Amino acid sequence: VYFVDDDELIIEELVHIINWDKNGFKVIGYSSDPIKAKEEILALKPTLVISDVQMDRLNGLKLAEEIGEVNNKINFCFLSVFDKFDYAIEAIRLGAIRYLTKPIRISELINLLNKYLICKRWVYFYENIIPKDKEIKKESYFDKTTNTWDNLL
């Protein structure tokens, strides 16, 4: 996981708010400068970026859009003190897995991470395991209530 927020105290909180390893994630980087973060994210290729929305120089939504043009396998979760509907709509348009408001609630973060891991496992299973079993139709493996981000997150 990679963190982007122009407030270094928020980054410090994110790094220490939970035991990331215990929850199935490794913190591979963070930055308070979104321009620097963009370069590092493209180089490090984290599976998940947790980013502030409103930042100087480059906002988090634009950051996600620019990264998505190069690598659409990097997922974004947005944080914001602003509970603005327009931000949430734009985040959804960009394929964000979640839009959380600050202050960060530990239970909400852990819930998000658990559901994210479940989705990643299903995608891996769907793309790598099922194609090898030619006798089974892919659709039979999915419960209609768990095959989309909307239903899981």
Side-chain angles (χ1 to χ4, degrees):
V1 72
Y2 189 100
F3 307 120
V4 187
D5 198 305
D6 56 355
D7 184 339
E8 292 185 13
L9 291 175
I10 297 293
I11 290 178
E12 188 69 21
E13 178 184 6
L14 282 167
V15 169
H16 299 291
I17 195 168
I18 63 170
N19 182 329
W20 290 93
D21 290 332
K22 182 180 172 188
N23 285 282
F25 291 84
K26 180 180 178 185
V27 175
I28 63 168
Y30 50 86
S31 180
S32 60
D33 177 352
I35 305 295
K36 177 184 170 197
K38 178 182 169 185
E39 295 171 13
E40 289 182 352
I41 291 165
L42 289 172
L44 296 170
K45 299 178 179 89
T47 58
L48 179 61
V49 174
I50 299 177
S51 175
D52 187 15
V53 172
Q54 194 61 45
M55 298 181 285
D56 293 336
R57 300 178 63 201
L58 181 66
N59 76 42
L61 299 169
K62 186 68 173 164
L63 173 67
E65 183 175 29
E66 290 179 7
I67 287 173
E69 290 170 358
V70 178
N71 184 339
N72 65 0
K73 295 201 182 289
I74 297 174
N75 297 287
F76 274 78
C77 171
F78 292 105
L79 299 172
S80 182
V81 294
F82 303 105
D83 193 11
K84 288 191 174 180
F85 188 69
D86 292 345
Y87 284 163
I89 293 297
E90 182 65 10
I92 291 167
R93 185 189 71 76
L94 293 169
I97 63 167
R98 197 70 180 249
Y99 183 94
L100 303 174
T101 55
K102 297 176 187 176
I104 303 160
R105 290 181 290 286
I106 294 172
S107 61
E108 191 174 19
L109 180 61
I110 290 174
N111 187 37
L112 162 74
L113 298 174
N114 287 336
K115 289 179 178 181
Y116 178 79
L117 287 176
I118 290 168
C119 285
K120 292 300 281 185
R121 288 181 184 128
W122 270 110
V123 168
Y124 177 82
F125 184 70
Y126 190 76
E127 292 176 351
N128 296 290
I129 306 300
I130 296 174
K132 295 176 183 172
D133 188 350
K134 296 179 181 18
E135 300 296 317
I136 299 171
K137 292 182 179 180
K138 289 182 180 183
E139 292 79 19
S140 68
Y141 276 94
F142 276 93
D143 173 20
K144 298 222 185 285
T145 63
T146 60
N147 65 350
T148 66
W149 282 112
D150 293 337
N151 291 329
L152 276 174
L153 302 174

